[in-house]
Amino acid sequence: MAQLPAHPLPPFNAVAWTVAAFVTAAAPHLLAMPIWLAGAVLLVCAWRLAAAHYRWRPPPALLRLSIAGIGIGLIIFAFGGLWGRRTATALLCVMLAAKMLEMFTMRDLRLVASVCFFLIATQFLFNERLVYLGYLVLGSLLATIALYRIQEIRVGPGRADLAGEVVGARGGALLLVMAVPVALTLFVLFPRLAQPLWGLPDQVMDGRTGLSDEMSPGSISNLFLDDSPAFRVEFDGLPPPPEQRYWRGPVLWNFNGNTWSRPFFSDTPRQSFVPVGPRGLSYRVQLEPHERRWLFVLDFPVSGPDTATLTVDHQMLHRHPVTTLMQYEVVSNPDFVDMPSLPAGLRTLATRLPEDRNPRTLALAAQLRQRYSDDRELIQSVLSWFREEAFYYTLRPSPLGRHGVDEFLFDLRSGFCEHYASAFAVLMRAAGIPTRVITGYQGGFWQAGSQYLLVRQSDAHAWNEVWLEGSGWTRVDPTAAVSPARIEQGARSVLDAPRHLLDRDWIQNLRNRYDRIQHLWNRWVLGFDHQRQQRLLERLGLPDMSVERIALLMIVMLSLVSALLAWLVLQPRRLSPRSDAEKAWQRMLRRLRRQGFVKQAQETPLEFATRVQTGMHPAGPEFMRLTQLYCRVHYGNQGSETARFLTGAKAFSPSRT
Amino acid sequence: MNRPTEATARSAVGNDLERALDQVNAVIVGKKAVVELAFSALLAGGHLLVEDLPGVGKTTLAQALSVVLGGTWQRIQFTNDMLPADILGVSIFRRADEQFEFRPGPVFANVVLADEINRATPRTQSALLEAMAEGQVTVDGQTHALPQPFFVIATQNPLDMAGTYPLPDSQLDRFLLRTAIGYPSAAEERRLLIEPDRRDLLANLQPVLDPARVSQLIRTAAGLHVAEPVLDYIQALVHATRSHASLRAGLSTRAALALIRTARAHALVRGQDFCLPENVKLIFPALAGHRLQTMPEAGLSVDQVVAEIIDATAVP
């Protein structure tokens, strides 16, 4: 037989609120773990509810212990160890579920409900998007209500009916509302550090793809199905026209016949100085975390944030992979001439091709080279060939074999931007023209209402740069030759067919609207960093605050806010005055308050008058006389004396006597 | 404690009530508030339970009251071998005219002092308490009306619990007010030590009122004006007992009605012609104390909770 617990079993409603808080807090974590593990956790929650309903006793200690042990074993099995954020949060979920098996005292209930807050907070290690604000509010609300109900049990048996639950829920909600000013103070004044306090070691993309540092057929078209935002840009002044919105990411030089990749020298910092130029563009980018070091910029970046370096091929590389939302300012000069003369080493690198690959392409290049001695003419002829021959732009290209470029150029003739960029580069290199492949994003959706450019993952793109005598590295986009609409109107305009129901216009509209709110959230909440904090404080007249001073200010403000809240909560309910006499009486009280005599709410008028008199206030006797008159008017049935009281009250002036 | 008597007219009441109070206060030194409570219970038509140690003046208070009220008075010393007949009276067979004759018990008096009421068995206690509630006594199928006004002052010792039968809640409710008397202050005690024996003072006491006048005063009290704000205050206090976490249950509507009745009587005793929040505030502990019970986990006494409620309730 199970031993009887020392305490009575907790009532069903407290257990139900606690389980609800846990399931809500664990929801995103459960979605991220294997389905059988999540199912097991939910099963334990269901058992706990049933146990509360049928008044079952807790299972024996040995069974509880072994279930906890099995839980750890399952985690190791599912995640291959006990390291990493996902593993740690999953372990927390599973152990809390195990705790539910022995959650039969007030103390255990309170523990589970309290840890729910921590569980909610851990979700923000993975994702800080706006939707999780709703999750945060709902989860905290349920956990607060659970704590409120648990506390009520200790004080006395709460009402068990539905009305009682509503009262409990309202109590919890009120507590949460009272926490809002404290939270806001903490948010604005908590000292921000330039670096996060903890490193974020492993993948947080959760299966979402971003632009990779390599390009092989299909690597970008995968991204095309992903509508999530890649970054947002605000411009000083007007944004550049769509055909100039080439967001430069990885620059690829090496080709092995299938995949384009970056050489080591690509990380070398740039030595050359790029002037701002007459058409210099200044803009701010809000980059979603993408786990890589690129900061996307327009050609050619002049300057960027201090934490980033500009490489020799004009990539902007951040010091660390971008794991949280990041904001940076860039100035670009579109008219810069990159490398008027090409060093011999780079020329070799930019014309190198793998051997024994794509013989037909090589033959075509040789043929073109014979016909056109001028590089520019050769390029034009290839582009017009792309344009005039039956090349198609498609999302569903066929897989390519060993001579991929040959197959693409001569047999299939349908593909996505990476096919065109790759084929074009191979053709150019075969003809002896230095060429590199640039991947990044092209275009973006201009949110006219909020004045920012939204660039989605589906805007990922690949294009080329060729080196030409006199104009240096020059951008050439073969995809534009095949499908000008892709460049001018955005990737979505060239779809073969709507991908799914979500492509309806009004849904797209809603998504764009939602993104504006997300943008504001990113800008004012997630992007509220050290600099913005400093700027805000400056505007409030507190310039040049050190971290220590901000911390001090925060402590002072927190004390003030808490004191204000306490005053509001402890304030006795003010009754609105019903008569002229009562209003006049309250005016008298206000005058006396300035003299340091404050009437307590629980004091009767005569008690207060006595206190004023014994307090040796010179106006004491007069006040006592008026109070007696007021009592006759207010509590008695002598309405006839109202006028006399009002006159006396009006003349009453404790400061002059 | 300030008495607003200067402010409010006594004219409606007359001086005899004031003189009666003064007479009792002359005997019971320094216990004005308790004397006022006792008069309030009387003029509200209720009964008083005094819970205190022996020797603080319970009996003297009852005796002084009975003398100034001008009616008859009886004292019943309760013991555990007492029977209901010892209180109510018996019917005895009279041989002379071969008829039953009812010999009234000590309960037939205007003022009854029931000393140490918790020493009697529940059966005997309930005989008295029924008489208190009904205002009449039924013996052998015959109903005998008790004299009017009828006022019981019961006492019990809260510390000496050995061999007692504590009054059940339902019966405690029959007492309108419950109060303690308390030790006198040092100066007052010195006066008691110097001055002549209280028994001599009692012997010299003269009746001021008479039963008919007391009945009239009870009617006057019932008609006193209670303004809306005072009603608000009463409701707020009663409501606070219902939502207080440390209390088992709140005050009933009957208790709220009793509160208004007693507040009126208290106002009359103080010579006011309308009710003030002070009246409510002063009688509330005596009225609520024995009608409420705290949760054992709360670790608070009822008196503490009641004081807390008064302190937390705003006076409108």
Side-chain angles (χ1 to χ4, degrees):
Chain A
M1 280 304 292
Q3 207 186 339
L4 286 173
H7 304 278
L9 292 174
F12 178 75
N13 56 17
V15 176
W17 281 113
T18 311
V19 171
F22 168 69
V23 171
T24 312
H29 303 294
L30 293 178
L31 289 175
M33 60 174 81
I35 189 154
W36 48 269
L37 195 56
V41 168
L42 290 177
L43 205 65
V44 173
C45 295
W47 177 86
R48 187 62 195 89
L49 283 180
H53 187 259
Y54 296 109
R55 323 284 306 159
W56 293 339
R57 298 278 163 194
L62 197 64
L63 183 62
R64 297 197 303 251
L65 207 64
S66 39
I67 288 178
I70 291 169
I72 296 180
L74 289 179
I75 291 281
I76 295 176
F77 173 70
F79 291 89
L82 283 173
W83 291 105
R85 265 173 296 159
R86 272 289 168 218
T87 320
T89 52
L91 183 68
L92 187 61
C93 285
V94 169
M95 287 300 110
L96 272 179
K99 183 75 190 168
M100 289 210 180
L101 293 173
E102 56 166 21
M103 188 175 73
F104 284 83
T105 62
M106 296 297 118
R107 191 177 150 275
D108 290 334
L109 277 168
R110 203 175 302 142
L111 181 93
V112 171
S114 310
V115 176
C116 280
F117 289 107
F118 181 70
L119 197 57
I120 293 166
T122 56
Q123 172 58 28
F124 291 88
L125 295 174
F126 303 101
N127 202 324
E128 299 178 313
R129 296 165 67 93
L130 181 58
V131 280
Y132 287 97
L133 180 67
Y135 157 76
L136 170 75
V137 170
L138 182 69
S140 312
L141 180 64
L142 286 173
T144 313
I145 293 173
L147 283 175
Y148 189 85
R149 296 299 277 174
I150 296 165
Q151 195 65 20
E152 268 187 346
I153 298 161
R154 202 185 64 78
V155 174
R159 295 171 60 182
D161 54 353
L162 190 65
E165 298 311 320
V166 172
V167 170
R170 208 184 296 151
L174 190 65
L175 280 179
L176 211 56
V177 168
M178 287 197 291
V180 168
V182 178
L184 281 179
T185 313
L186 279 173
F187 172 75
V188 174
L189 290 177
F190 196 88
R192 307 288 156 137
L193 302 172
Q195 294 287 320
L197 280 175
W198 53 86
L200 299 174
D202 55 359
Q203 277 283 342
V204 291
M205 293 293 280
D206 276 342
R208 283 191 298 128
T209 53
L211 203 62
S212 89
D213 55 354
E214 288 183 340
M215 187 186 82
S216 52
S219 64
I220 291 179
S221 46
N222 280 340
L223 281 179
F224 192 71
L225 293 166
D226 186 357
D227 251 349
S228 59
F231 53 90
R232 301 174 181 78
V233 194
E234 293 170 19
F235 294 93
D236 290 345
L238 287 173
E243 65 273 16
Q244 283 176 31
R245 292 178 198 154
Y246 281 87
W247 300 97
R248 191 184 188 89
V251 178
L252 312 175
W253 299 74
N254 292 346
F255 184 57
N256 68 359
N258 186 46
T259 305
W260 287 87
S261 56
R262 302 173 66 231
F264 287 115
F265 92 94
S266 232
D267 284 347
T268 322
R270 179 174 80 181
Q271 301 297 326
S272 58
F273 167 76
V274 179
V276 177
R279 293 202 295 147
L281 269 171
S282 167
Y283 50 95
R284 276 167 310 285
V285 181
Q286 239 180 40
L287 181 63
E288 294 280 334
H290 65 124
E291 301 293 321
R292 315 225 177 233
R293 292 172 57 199
W294 290 285
L295 307 183
F296 297 94
V297 292
L298 289 172
D299 289 335
F300 287 90
V302 175
S303 63
D306 298 341
T307 52
T309 48
L310 283 154
T311 68
V312 75
D313 44 11
H314 305 285
Q315 305 171 68
M316 195 184 276
L317 290 179
H318 193 239
R319 203 179 292 156
H320 314 281
V322 179
T323 50
T324 53
L325 189 94
M326 181 182 171
Q327 308 215 28
Y328 53 89
E329 288 190 42
V330 193
V331 177
S332 286
N333 175 10
D335 303 319
F336 178 66
V337 175
D338 184 28
M339 292 195 193
S341 62
L342 190 65
L346 281 184
R347 176 179 286 273
T348 316
L349 195 71
T351 50
R352 195 161 61 190
L353 284 172
E355 290 177 15
D356 305 331
R357 292 285 183 107
N358 305 314
R360 283 192 278 174
T361 311
L362 297 185
L364 175 69
Q367 200 185 325
L368 287 168
R369 188 80 270 185
Q370 276 188 340
R371 201 181 315 162
Y372 304 102
S373 58
D374 182 50
D375 286 352
R376 284 169 225 254
E377 280 175 28
L378 194 146
I379 291 166
Q380 278 311 317
S381 73
V382 169
L383 288 179
S384 43
W385 181 58
F386 274 167
R387 195 177 304 128
E388 283 149 23
E389 292 289 317
F391 279 99
Y392 295 105
Y393 185 73
T394 178
L395 251 184
R396 301 185 187 82
S398 311
L400 299 172
R402 178 173 163 81
H403 304 295
V405 175
D406 274 5
E407 287 172 43
F408 171 71
L409 281 180
F410 301 103
D411 305 331
L412 294 165
R413 296 200 164 178
S414 63
F416 203 62
C417 57
E418 67 254 40
H419 297 94
Y420 290 98
S422 174
F424 183 78
V426 171
L427 206 49
M428 287 301 117
R429 286 188 174 190
I433 303 171
T435 311
R436 56 193 185 192
V437 173
I438 320 290
T439 56
Y441 295 85
Q442 200 284 322
F445 177 83
W446 179 246
Q447 296 267 28
S450 308
Q451 296 287 307
Y452 72 94
L453 186 77
L454 167 63
V455 179
R456 295 197 161 95
Q457 292 294 351
S458 55
D459 292 319
H461 192 51
W463 61 94
N464 303 96
E465 275 177 354
V466 293
W467 188 86
L468 295 172
E469 197 68 49
S471 46
W473 287 104
T474 310
R475 182 170 62 224
V476 177
D477 188 351
T479 314
V482 179
S483 170
R486 160 68 184 86
I487 306 307
E488 280 154 23
Q489 288 154 38
R492 199 163 293 101
S493 62
V494 297
L495 283 171
D496 310 314
R499 284 166 302 164
H500 38 67
L501 286 171
L502 291 180
D503 272 333
R504 298 264 167 80
D505 274 354
W506 64 272
I507 293 182
Q508 282 305 328
N509 263 338
L510 270 185
R511 291 174 70 107
N512 288 337
R513 262 163 216 269
Y514 172 73
D515 193 82
R516 280 193 214 169
I517 304 172
Q518 175 77 45
H519 172 70
L520 291 176
W521 168 258
N522 287 351
R523 179 176 173 161
W524 294 111
V525 180
L526 301 184
F528 189 81
D529 55 6
H530 184 66
Q531 274 184 332
R532 277 188 190 265
Q533 189 180 38
Q534 291 281 8
R535 246 179 281 162
L536 180 75
L537 290 175
E538 240 166 65
R539 216 174 295 167
L540 295 175
L542 297 165
D544 296 327
M545 297 277 279
S546 65
V547 170
E548 290 83 1
R549 272 162 168 255
I550 293 177
L552 198 67
L553 180 67
M554 177 185 78
I555 292 167
V556 170
M557 287 304 291
L558 267 188
S559 321
L560 284 179
V561 168
S562 315
L564 186 71
L565 274 177
W567 182 75
L568 281 176
V569 170
L570 299 177
Q571 180 88 328
R573 299 275 169 276
R574 282 252 170 83
L575 295 166
S576 51
R578 277 173 297 196
S579 62
D580 292 344
E582 209 170 335
K583 278 181 208 155
W585 164 252
Q586 282 176 2
R587 272 196 296 275
M588 284 187 6
L589 291 185
R590 277 197 290 276
R591 277 174 225 149
L592 271 171
R593 179 177 309 195
R594 285 197 283 271
Q595 301 282 306
F597 286 93
V598 182
K599 180 183 171 294
Q600 306 296 312
Q602 76 275 13
E603 266 183 320
T604 67
L606 284 168
E607 281 170 356
F608 178 55
T610 311
R611 195 154 64 83
V612 173
Q613 209 164 19
T614 45
M616 302 304 273
H617 193 274
E622 169 67 2
F623 183 64
M624 175 56 95
R625 192 184 66 79
L626 284 166
T627 304
Q628 285 165 356
L629 197 54
Y630 170 67
C631 283
R632 281 209 288 283
V633 173
H634 189 56
Y635 300 117
N637 45 2
Q638 273 106 347
S640 56
E641 292 188 83
T642 310
R644 198 151 73 86
F645 167 68
L646 288 180
T647 327
K650 205 170 177 186
F652 178 71
S653 164
S655 49
R656 261 188 280 130
T657 21
Chain B
M1 184 61 58
N2 172 64
R3 283 184 56 180
T5 43
E6 304 82 11
T8 43
R10 262 197 188 281
S11 55
V13 181
N15 286 330
D16 47 358
L17 180 59
E18 192 180 3
R19 266 191 290 128
L21 273 163
D22 288 344
Q23 294 267 8
V24 176
N25 278 328
V27 179
I28 316 288
V29 175
K31 293 292 167 198
K32 274 187 177 177
V34 176
V35 172
E36 279 177 357
L37 279 180
F39 269 94
S40 304
L42 171 74
L43 294 184
H47 307 282
L48 181 70
L49 176 63
V50 184
E51 239 183 27
D52 220 325
L53 304 170
V56 291
K58 290 179 299 223
T59 314
T60 316
L61 173 66
Q63 260 179 304
L65 271 174
S66 63
V67 173
V68 296
L69 292 180
T72 52
W73 102 281
Q74 286 283 356
R75 173 181 179 157
I76 312 172
Q77 181 66 49
F78 278 71
T79 57
N80 57 4
D81 57 356
M82 220 172 205
L83 293 173
D86 297 332
I87 296 164
L88 305 179
V90 284
S91 293
I92 53 167
F93 186 71
R94 223 169 37 191
R95 193 143 306 163
D97 45 7
E98 302 206 330
Q99 268 187 340
F100 280 99
E101 189 202 36
F102 180 67
R103 287 279 177 84
V107 77
F108 285 84
N110 289 114
V111 178
V112 175
L113 172 62
D115 234 347
E116 295 198 79
I117 190 170
N118 56 343
R119 295 225 162 266
T121 56
R123 189 163 158 237
T124 312
Q125 286 172 2
S126 64
L128 174 70
L129 295 162
E130 271 173 46
M132 283 161 58
E134 309 287 333
Q136 60 189 26
V137 166
T138 304
V139 176
D140 292 339
Q142 279 210 302
T143 303
H144 308 275
L146 292 168
Q148 287 302 324
F150 174 62
F151 180 51
V152 174
I153 305 177
T155 71
Q156 61 179 9
N157 182 346
L159 292 186
D160 185 12
M161 296 302 280
T164 61
Y165 302 91
L167 293 173
D169 296 347
S170 60
Q171 309 230 328
L172 274 175
D173 202 34
R174 307 254 185 251
F175 290 98
L176 185 61
L177 299 181
R178 183 196 66 173
T179 183
I181 290 186
Y183 296 115
S185 70
E188 288 155 359
E189 193 154 43
R190 176 58 65 94
R191 252 184 80 192
L192 287 170
L193 297 177
I194 295 168
E195 282 182 3
D197 196 329
R198 296 291 117 180
R199 270 170 298 190
D200 298 340
L201 287 177
L202 273 176
N204 294 333
L205 221 52
Q206 295 299 314
V208 181
L209 307 166
D210 57 70
R213 175 67 180 144
V214 171
S215 297
Q216 192 196 344
L217 284 170
I218 289 175
R219 281 196 300 278
T220 312
L224 231 55
H225 176 74
V226 183
E228 290 277 327
V230 181
L231 290 176
D232 288 345
Y233 186 48
I234 287 171
Q235 274 197 305
L237 285 173
V238 171
H239 184 78
T241 64
R242 292 174 187 164
S243 56
H244 200 285
S246 306
L247 291 177
R248 223 184 261 280
L251 287 176
S252 63
T253 308
R254 184 162 71 186
L257 285 167
L259 184 53
I260 297 185
R261 198 146 47 95
T262 323
R264 283 182 160 128
H266 193 263
L268 184 72
V269 168
R270 287 192 151 197
Q272 304 156 215
D273 44 13
F274 55 86
C275 221
L276 280 170
E278 273 88 350
N279 304 124
V280 179
K281 202 175 189 177
L282 289 172
I283 58 166
F284 186 68
L287 187 122
H290 58 297
R291 288 178 166 90
L292 295 171
Q293 280 178 311
T294 47
M295 311 282 290
E297 307 91 275
L300 290 168
S301 74
V302 172
D303 291 341
Q304 282 171 316
V305 173
V306 168
E308 206 175 274
I309 287 175
I310 291 179
D311 260 357
T313 308
V315 177

